[in-house]
Amino acid sequence: MQREEKQLEASLDAIIMRVNDLKTSIASMLVKLENEYETLNWPTFLDNFALMSGHLTALSKVLSNEKCAALRSLAVLPLLLSPERDEELVRLTERRVAAFAHDHVPDLLRTRPEPEAEARLALLEQRAANMSYDAAQKQVAAMNKVVSLVWDLISEARESWENEVGARAGVAQTSSVADTHALVAAVGMGRGLKQSSSGGPQNNNGVPGAGGMGNSVAGGRGGMGPGQQQQQMGQMSKAPSAIKTNIKSATQVHPYAR
């Protein structure tokens, strides 16, 4: 008897743990649907749905495990009903149930659907049983046609999307970010530009040394007179002779001459 009680407690602890995980994922999904419905996208919704599906699968594995106690053979009976507030019950139910009263017991310990839902289910089962085989096959064929049409639409949209993505990836790139940065640095800061062969600065027209020569000539001529300018031009026009000459005066004064 003690062994069965310990096995039941372990099974209940494992079930409660899985149920809490499932409850947390459902609460997170509800919060996103209520607060992030404008920015919530389809992949995020599918991820949350897959998480809930995983928790349900884990709960099913725990219930179908051989070590889990056979809960179907157990019955839950209310031992005490009270209309007063029970703090322990409030804590266990996360403030959803304040008292284990007579009006809550039928809903909390229900093992069958509600009478209205049970009546509607019985009506649907009766309609399905009275339907002929040909009518059922026609409805199945119509349903399959609708599903096939939706599947074709989804497949075409997926193919067009994949083709568009492949076309974007196959377009050759016509620009280089590194070359653009190098060009901007060369134009703005002169980075990477080589100096001219003369080593002098370049003017705005790209002629090396032209600006400096013009400035020096202009400055030299500005301080000269007209005669000096002609003399300088004459000296520049005459080529230097390679023959040395010694010119002597024709008349010399003798110191003892009378």
Side-chain angles (χ1 to χ4, degrees):
M1 188 68 180
Q2 294 181 355
R3 182 180 179 182
E4 293 179 355
E5 290 180 355
K6 291 181 179 180
Q7 186 177 1
L8 178 61
E9 290 179 358
S11 301
L12 290 177
D13 291 338
I15 292 172
I16 290 172
M17 185 182 300
R18 299 301 180 185
V19 169
N20 287 332
D21 294 339
L22 179 60
K23 182 180 64 176
T24 302
S25 62
I26 293 175
S28 176
M29 186 64 183
L30 291 177
V31 169
K32 289 183 179 180
L33 289 176
E34 292 177 357
N35 300 327
E36 302 178 6
Y37 63 93
E38 294 182 355
T39 59
L40 185 64
N41 52 13
W42 184 245
T44 304
F45 181 83
L46 290 180
D47 292 340
N48 291 319
F49 190 80
L51 183 61
M52 289 187 292
S53 179
H55 290 321
L56 285 173
T57 304
L59 180 61
S60 300
K61 290 182 179 179
V62 171
L63 293 175
S64 61
N65 192 2
E66 296 179 356
K67 296 182 179 180
C68 184
L71 300 179
R72 293 183 179 180
S73 60
L74 300 177
V76 180
L77 300 175
L79 299 179
L80 179 62
L81 299 178
S82 175
E84 298 179 358
R85 181 182 177 87
D86 189 355
E87 297 297 335
E88 184 67 18
L89 183 62
V90 171
R91 185 184 65 82
L92 292 175
T93 58
E94 297 181 356
R95 300 180 182 180
R96 288 191 298 270
V97 180
F100 199 64
H102 297 76
D103 53 347
H104 294 299
V105 171
D107 296 330
L108 297 176
L109 302 181
R110 185 185 300 277
T111 57
R112 296 178 59 180
E114 294 183 357
E116 296 179 359
E118 197 171 14
R120 293 182 62 183
L121 182 61
L123 180 61
L124 293 176
E125 291 178 351
Q126 182 178 1
R127 290 179 58 185
N130 295 333
M131 185 179 295
S132 62
Y133 179 78
D134 296 336
Q137 290 298 321
K138 288 181 179 179
Q139 290 189 2
V140 170
M143 188 64 183
N144 291 334
K145 185 178 180 180
V146 173
V147 172
S148 299
L149 180 61
V150 174
W151 177 259
D152 293 338
L153 293 175
I154 295 175
S155 300
E156 291 177 359
R158 181 179 180 180
E159 290 179 359
S160 62
W161 178 73
E162 290 179 351
N163 294 332
E164 184 179 356
V165 172
R168 290 180 180 177
V171 175
Q173 188 175 2
T174 59
S175 62
S176 175
V177 179
D179 294 343
T180 303
H181 290 324
L183 182 59
V184 172
V187 173
M189 296 177 287
R191 185 179 300 171
L193 298 180
K194 296 182 180 180
Q195 295 183 355
S196 62
S197 59
S198 61
Q202 296 182 356
N203 63 352
N204 296 332
N205 296 328
V207 180
M213 184 182 296
N215 293 331
S216 61
V217 173
R221 291 181 180 176
M224 296 182 181
Q228 294 179 356
Q229 292 180 3
Q230 292 178 1
Q231 184 180 0
Q232 185 179 3
M233 292 299 292
Q235 292 177 0
M236 292 176 63
S237 62
K238 293 181 179 179
S241 177
I243 303 174
K244 294 182 179 181
T245 59
N246 188 7
I247 303 173
K248 296 181 179 181
S249 178
T251 59
Q252 295 183 357
V253 179
H254 197 276
Y256 299 103
R258 292 183 181 183

